[in-house]
Amino acid sequence: MTNFAETKNLFHLPEGVIYLDGNSLGPMPISAMNRAENVIKNEWSEMLIKAWNKADWMTLPRRVGDKLATLIGAPEGSVATGDTLSIKVFQAVSAALKLNPSRKVVLSDSGNFPTDLYMVSGLISHLGPDYELRIVAPDEVENAIDETISVVMLTEVDYRTGRRHDMMKITEKTHQMGAISVWDLAHSAGALPVEMEKSNAEFAVGCTYKYINGGPGSPAFIYVRPDVADKIEPILSGWLGHEAPFAFDLDYRPHKGSERMRVGTPPIIQLSLLDEALKVWEGVDMQDVRARSIQLCEQFIQGIEKACPEFQLLSPRDANSRGSQVSFAFEHSYPAMQAMIDKNVIGDFRAPDAMRFGFTPLYIDQEDVAKAIEIIANIIKTKTYLEPKYQVRSIVT
Ligand SMILES: *Cc1c(COP(=O)(O)O)cnc(C)c1O
């Protein structure tokens, strides 16, 4: 059994804050501070360039990739790290299109995170006018997978509503129709059990600063199914995805396996913090995390619906169809969220009207949820959100 009281002690949270936004930016694991200090003070400053070998910087991306692989049910060596999730989406979809060249349509849904759609639009505009990005409503995806589709690119858990796709079923249909599967695990990895190997999907991508707590801008990851990896001709053919980067050959030969999805020099400081954050997961059972996350979400939904009848639940009511977050719509969503943040209950707002709350059992418990409900109920009852200071929009919502 995972000891959540113990994992909670591994994180730093500011005094009094109930943090329900780990689905957007995870909090700092306490040991990240020492690790950052060590990388800067002992490795970078003292070893200088020798640290690539002496401090094992060069193998860090792969070692971190293997830890991430464990978290998403993938075999060793199948996950490469680096860059941002937007870049990894581009790499996965471009590689997938090349593996299925007789078809030209990428299918996605209107609940997807915009950057995923933007990256594919950019990619296909470069490939030529016969390519198409087809966007359907989330519940129409399964029917829309037909023999014209080259690649099905979906985010398992909707960032706005928490709605969860049935990854096994959709991947199966994708393969039946001769298409290739790309899954975005941004709101899945570290949030719920993911079985990449079992799903048989060819590609998955994800970020590490949300549920994995790697810190702002920590590197993204890409999974490639081992039997597919060696067939990929990377579009972003950077030197660190080369078979022998330090041979400095003029021609590009991809590295074996998923390492070919690496591009350039890894961000060592950020990657070290991610490595540290991944240590928190040792001894954590993802089934326990899921069970606890469902419990917390249910507690929150019940409490809020009772206390704030003005709110409408935007998330699926059925826990199985939901990720690890709960969203509500409300006429005054934006100022209400600002008032909550002001009272130390931190969630966030997503246009047009969603208040999002993420539930992360590693550091959020039932007592936190009960307290959050009480504070929110009070804000709504007293209508504090009508104060002018809560109406002001910031750049980041
Ligand atoms: C958070 C998120 C992103 C962010 O992409 P970055 O390149 O890391 O900024 C992309 N896609 C999805 C589905 C997300 O949830």
Side-chain angles (χ1 to χ4, degrees):
M1 245 340 236
T2 308
N3 186 337
F4 290 112
E6 226 162 68
T7 58
K8 187 169 184 165
N9 283 328
L10 299 176
F11 289 92
H12 171 80
L13 286 165
E15 194 59 40
V17 163
I18 302 172
Y19 195 60
L20 306 181
D21 213 1
N23 51 312
S24 198
L25 175 68
M28 188 189 74
I30 290 164
S31 68
M33 190 79 91
N34 289 334
R35 181 70 179 262
E37 195 180 358
N38 185 50
V39 180
I40 292 172
K41 254 178 137 166
N42 302 324
E43 297 179 0
W44 180 22
S45 53
E46 292 303 320
M47 297 180 198
L48 292 164
I49 198 157
K50 290 184 288 183
W52 285 107
N53 292 314
K54 215 172 147 193
D56 275 332
W57 284 357
M58 208 53 190
T59 60
L60 188 58
R62 168 65 199 268
R63 286 183 282 125
V64 168
D66 282 342
K67 287 186 185 176
L68 289 165
T70 309
L71 210 55
I72 60 166
E76 211 172 279
S78 62
V79 173
T81 56
D83 316 299
T84 66
L85 177 49
S86 304
I87 299 290
K88 293 306 174 208
V89 167
F90 184 91
Q91 284 183 296
V93 176
S94 60
L97 281 169
K98 254 188 162 180
L99 289 169
N100 206 0
S102 62
R103 303 181 184 185
K104 317 277 182 205
V105 182
V106 179
L107 180 72
S108 193
D109 73 51
S110 52
N112 208 342
F113 193 90
T115 199
D116 295 42
L117 304 174
Y118 301 161
M119 291 309 284
V120 174
S121 300
L123 168 66
I124 63 175
S125 75
H126 186 68
L127 290 175
D130 342 336
Y131 284 83
E132 179 192 339
L133 168 59
R134 194 173 294 165
I135 300 171
V136 300
D139 56 0
E140 283 163 15
V141 165
E142 225 177 300
N143 281 333
I145 306 172
D146 60 28
E147 271 133 3
T148 65
I149 307 294
S150 177
V151 180
V152 178
M153 176 200 61
L154 298 168
T155 298
E156 185 189 12
V157 177
D158 188 310
Y159 74 101
R160 194 187 274 123
T161 64
R163 175 202 40 75
R164 182 187 185 188
H165 275 305
D166 186 335
M167 189 161 153
M168 296 292 166
K169 201 164 145 211
I170 292 180
T171 304
E172 202 182 324
K173 173 92 189 271
T174 300
H175 289 163
Q176 268 168 16
M177 292 296 149
I180 291 180
S181 202
V182 177
W183 285 98
D184 188 327
L185 304 176
H187 295 273
S188 311
L192 38 88
V194 179
E195 304 267 9
M196 274 331 297
E197 197 166 16
K198 216 160 116 194
S199 78
N200 210 28
E202 287 86 346
F203 296 91
V205 293
C207 55
T208 60
Y209 49 79
K210 292 173 180 163
Y211 291 91
I212 304 178
N213 315 306
S218 60
F221 66 86
I222 181 165
Y223 160 83
V224 187
R225 204 174 74 195
D227 63 300
V228 170
D230 286 336
K231 296 180 197 149
I232 292 172
E233 300 165 30
I235 301 279
L236 301 182
S237 38
W239 74 303
L240 287 183
H242 193 281
E243 182 183 55
F246 287 88
F248 293 106
D249 288 339
L250 291 185
D251 58 326
Y252 177 78
R253 291 189 314 277
H255 197 288
K256 266 192 122 34
S258 68
E259 291 259 309
R260 68 185 56 194
M261 303 313 257
R262 287 180 59 184
V263 183
T265 304
I268 293 300
I269 296 172
Q270 197 71 72
L271 201 51
S272 302
L273 301 193
L274 172 56
D275 188 43
E276 207 55 45
L278 284 162
K279 289 183 185 165
V280 172
W281 295 92
E282 290 163 14
V284 170
D285 182 333
M286 225 41 221
Q287 301 293 343
D288 295 343
V289 171
R290 178 64 174 158
R292 181 67 73 100
S293 139
I294 290 175
Q295 218 177 50
L296 298 175
C297 290
E298 295 287 308
Q299 182 193 350
F300 188 73
I301 292 172
Q302 278 167 27
I304 289 293
E305 288 196 322
K306 198 161 149 223
C308 313
E310 308 89 326
F311 287 13
Q312 300 100 45
L313 183 65
L314 281 178
S315 304
R317 201 164 281 283
D318 169 23
N320 289 322
S321 318
R322 207 168 58 213
S324 202
Q325 69 170 71
V326 173
S327 304
F328 282 100
F330 175 47
E331 195 192 337
H332 307 279
S333 276
Y334 185 82
M337 180 52 75
Q338 303 322 303
M340 292 173 203
I341 294 170
D342 202 31
K343 302 282 182 250
N344 273 341
V345 176
I346 303 186
D348 60 23
F349 166 83
R350 285 293 173 266
D353 61 354
M355 298 178 291
R356 281 199 313 181
F357 305 90
F359 294 89
T360 45
L362 293 187
Y363 52 86
I364 290 294
D365 57 27
Q366 285 163 303
E367 208 179 302
D368 296 322
V369 174
K371 226 184 280 171
I373 294 168
E374 200 186 306
I375 293 170
I376 295 169
N378 192 47
I379 289 169
I380 301 309
K381 201 174 77 198
T382 55
K383 298 195 194 305
T384 11
Y385 54 82
L386 292 177
E387 288 176 32
K389 64 176 175 183
Y390 297 133
Q391 318 294 322
V392 183
R393 295 252 174 164
S394 311
I395 302 174
V396 175
T397 62

